[in-house]
Amino acid sequence: MKVGIPSEIFPNELRVAATPKTVKRLQKQGFEVYIQHNAGIKANFSDKAFEEAGAKIVATAADIYGNSDIVLKVKEPAMEEVDLMKEGLVMLSYLWPAQNQPLLQKLADKKVNAIAMDAIPRISRAQKMDVLSSMANIAGYRAVIEGAFHFGRFLNGQITAAGKVEPAKVLVIGAGVAGLAAIGAANSLGAIVRAFDTRKEVAEQIESMGAEFLTVEINEDGATASGYSKEMSPEFIAAEMALFKAQAAEVDIIITTAQIPGRPAPKLVLADHVAVMKPGSVIVDLAASSGGNCELTQNGEVYTTDNGVTIIGKLNQLPSQASQLYGNNLCHLLDDMGKAEKWKIDMEDAVVSRAMVTYNGKINWPPAPLPVSPAKPKAAEIAVEDPKVVAARKNKKEATSMFIKLGVIGVLLFAMGQFAPGEFMQHFTVFVLAVFIGWQVIWNVSHSLHTPLMAVTNAISGIIIVGGLLQTKDDLSNSLVMTILASAAILVASINIVGGFVVTHRMLKMFKK
């Protein structure tokens, strides 16, 4: 089977649907690979690099669309490109089917079997094919880099001979893939990061990335079964706007990532929010192509407002990296479809059937809803025992277990005492008690202090203390020297245990902010 990769005709599209690395992978899958002349030049991949990887270079898009069995693209095809396609062609590309009904109709009329890569369902099995996540990851990272460049100051705080530099404050609105990537990048550069999302479930993800989770005092969750956020109530939106305005006056960089598939991006940063921002502040709007989250965003442009706020409506796509990840996503999907040897369009497959927007001359959009697992009951609905009751039961259980262990030891010692010599029993009793005390000293140490050094020294010191106490008894057989030595041993062992705890606590404090 032949796989063709045409040049992208839109001037602002720098990516290509294959790289020399993915060309080699396509060949391992059994495909012959054809690439249009200079298709990868904008992404810094030369024709020579593709030829060395084993691809064949063809002159025109007509050669690709007319002779290939499968075509891999990035942007949705223009109408004139559809005219070049042969009947039965399989095309994998961004299509945005909800917004491009005329294009779907034209593809169906040409009997092109079109797979919308942006319509891959967000299920666990399809994560490796999820181009939206791959590209969002790049966008989130790049948003921080662009924002830092236009901000013109350090993101991390510094203390230098010339003076102190305060760390920049970054607000990320939306904690999807792009938002989490932005949080991670900003945090790694030393900024103070805050993040907001209507979905309460992402709070732990935000905090695990080192950011502060912002929320409003309204108990409403924006999570949906699809993984995207839903539209919130007017009361929630009003509280949200008030929060954003307060944050806008304080932070230095705002990165917005909120988009709703098939609909204009919600307006989250209003003109009066921008008006209260400090001169030199930056807004990076990742939703610029769908209308923008900021009222003042201009798609494809970077400009500065009258009060000195830079609003970024375009990003460098990092075309080389983006092409590699996109190409990997395409290869994963071709793997699932059987490669060249067992190629099959399986409309019973949950991924293929929902992404195949035109099939055998018919439009297959919108797809049937994807079945989801029943929602788990919320924490508030689950009966939770009183922690005090749980703790009391645990303590009672531990105490009972301890008494049983002591009882067993006592019975064994009594039974042994009936037959063993008295001198042996005295030493054996000392040994058992010393081991027991030493074990207790280790067992009751906090887990944060459980280093091998603490465990071993506490055990030895516990045994020494017990032995010393037994040697200080008021007995005529004991000499004054023996009593003095035993007392010294007890003192030194006690200092060792107490000193170990003190030093370890001080060491732990060194790693706390």
Side-chain angles (χ1 to χ4, degrees):
M1 294 184 73
K2 297 179 180 179
V3 171
I5 295 95
S7 295
E8 299 296 327
I9 65 172
F10 291 94
N12 294 330
E13 182 52 68
L14 307 179
R15 294 168 293 179
V16 64
T19 68
K21 287 185 179 179
T22 61
V23 164
K24 291 179 180 179
R25 182 170 175 179
L26 289 168
Q27 291 173 323
K28 288 181 180 179
Q29 292 174 328
F31 298 108
E32 296 178 44
V33 184
Y34 295 82
I35 296 183
Q36 187 179 346
H37 172 61
N38 281 340
I41 204 71
K42 294 179 182 177
N44 301 316
F45 299 117
S46 65
D47 286 351
K48 182 180 179 181
F50 281 117
E51 285 181 315
E52 290 175 350
K56 297 180 177 66
I57 307 298
V58 299
T60 66
D63 294 328
I64 295 290
Y65 291 119
N67 299 318
S68 302
D69 301 301
I70 302 169
V71 166
L72 308 180
K73 269 185 59 60
V74 181
K75 290 284 284 186
E76 64 273 18
M79 292 298 186
E80 56 268 26
E81 289 181 286
V82 180
D83 291 332
L84 300 175
M85 297 179 186
K86 69 177 185 181
E87 183 178 318
L89 176 72
V90 177
M91 183 185 68
L92 283 66
S93 171
Y94 276 89
L95 287 173
W96 306 112
Q99 297 101 306
N100 283 323
Q101 283 297 316
L103 175 60
L104 295 190
Q105 188 60 58
K106 179 119 182 175
L107 290 168
D109 293 341
K110 290 284 291 187
K111 293 188 177 179
V112 173
N113 298 323
I115 293 179
M117 295 303 295
D118 48 285
I120 295 288
R122 288 191 153 176
I123 58 177
S124 298
R125 183 171 71 85
Q127 287 181 353
K128 60 186 178 181
M129 317 164 203
D130 188 354
V131 298
L132 295 180
S133 293
S134 297
M135 299 303 105
N137 184 33
I138 293 175
Y141 171 83
R142 186 65 190 184
V144 175
I145 303 302
E146 298 267 4
F149 172 75
H150 288 279
F151 180 51
R153 289 202 288 112
F154 295 141
L155 260 64
N156 66 319
Q158 294 189 15
I159 298 177
T160 69
K164 182 179 179 181
V165 179
E166 295 290 341
K169 296 182 178 69
V170 177
L171 171 62
V172 179
I173 301 177
V177 175
L180 292 174
I183 291 169
N187 186 57
S188 67
L189 290 174
I192 296 173
V193 189
R194 301 162 184 173
F196 176 88
D197 198 288
T198 58
R199 297 165 298 166
K200 306 296 184 185
E201 63 193 29
V202 303
E204 289 184 2
Q205 298 176 40
I206 289 171
E207 290 168 353
S208 70
M209 297 291 287
E212 177 189 357
F213 177 60
L214 301 179
T215 187
V216 297
E217 299 299 326
I218 295 180
N219 188 20
E220 185 175 350
D221 192 357
T224 63
S226 67
Y228 293 98
S229 298
K230 67 180 181 181
E231 188 172 352
M232 309 302 286
S233 68
E235 294 79 12
F236 188 95
I237 293 173
E240 184 181 53
M241 293 298 104
L243 173 66
F244 292 162
K245 187 169 184 178
Q247 289 295 318
E250 186 178 346
V251 301
D252 301 298
I253 299 174
I254 297 177
I255 298 172
T256 65
T257 70
Q259 298 192 67
I260 302 173
R263 298 178 60 182
K267 300 300 179 187
L268 303 175
V269 181
L270 308 181
D272 61 323
H273 297 173
V274 179
V276 301
M277 295 183 73
K278 296 171 288 190
S281 299
V282 179
I283 296 173
V284 185
D285 195 338
L286 295 184
S289 61
S290 57
N293 295 136
C294 176
E295 278 188 337
L296 304 181
T297 297
Q298 297 178 15
N299 185 29
E301 295 186 22
V302 178
Y303 77 102
T304 303
T305 64
D306 293 338
N307 65 321
V309 177
T310 301
I311 301 179
I312 302 173
K314 70 171 182 178
L315 290 178
N316 185 313
Q317 294 176 325
L318 302 181
S320 300
Q321 180 71 76
S323 298
Q324 181 62 46
L325 293 179
Y326 183 74
N328 287 341
N329 293 139
L330 295 171
C331 289
H332 284 306
L333 181 54
L334 294 177
D335 268 337
D336 270 27
M337 296 181 74
K339 309 178 184 178
E341 184 180 354
K342 300 179 180 179
W343 175 259
K344 179 184 178 183
I345 298 176
D346 183 6
M347 294 303 286
E348 298 298 319
D349 184 275
V351 175
V352 175
S353 63
R354 285 165 177 80
M356 185 75 71
V357 293
T358 62
Y359 181 63
N360 287 347
K362 296 180 180 178
I363 295 177
N364 188 40
W365 184 266
L370 188 67
V372 295
S373 301
K376 295 180 180 179
K378 295 183 179 179
E381 299 172 359
I382 301 174
V384 179
E385 285 190 87
D386 187 344
K388 292 182 179 179
V389 175
V390 175
R393 185 166 61 242
K394 182 179 178 181
N395 291 337
K396 184 178 179 181
K397 184 178 179 181
E398 290 178 353
T400 303
S401 174
M402 182 63 63
F403 280 121
I404 292 173
K405 290 175 183 176
L406 289 174
V408 171
I409 292 172
V411 170
L412 290 174
L413 290 175
F414 178 77
M416 189 177 294
Q418 301 301 311
F419 306 99
E423 190 174 316
F424 170 80
M425 284 304 300
Q426 180 181 359
H427 291 297
F428 185 73
T429 303
V430 171
F431 172 75
V432 170
L433 289 174
V435 171
F436 181 75
I437 296 299
W439 177 73
Q440 283 296 314
V441 170
I442 298 172
W443 188 260
N444 290 317
V445 173
S446 169
H447 290 294
S448 61
L449 303 176
H450 252 312
T451 63
L453 178 63
M454 283 290 292
V456 174
T457 57
N458 280 355
I460 295 173
S461 298
I463 294 172
I464 291 171
I465 289 173
V466 172
L469 288 172
L470 290 170
Q471 295 301 322
T472 57
K473 61 185 180 178
D474 186 14
D475 192 335
L476 294 176
S477 62
N478 266 13
S479 67
L480 180 62
V481 175
M482 179 69 73
T483 303
I484 293 173
L485 289 176
S487 300
I490 294 169
L491 176 63
V492 173
S494 301
I495 292 173
N496 188 49
I497 292 176
V498 175
F501 277 100
V502 172
V503 171
T504 307
H505 274 295
R506 290 185 64 182
M507 290 175 63
L508 291 174
K509 287 180 181 178
M510 292 171 61
F511 297 96
K512 294 181 180 179
K513 293 183 177 180

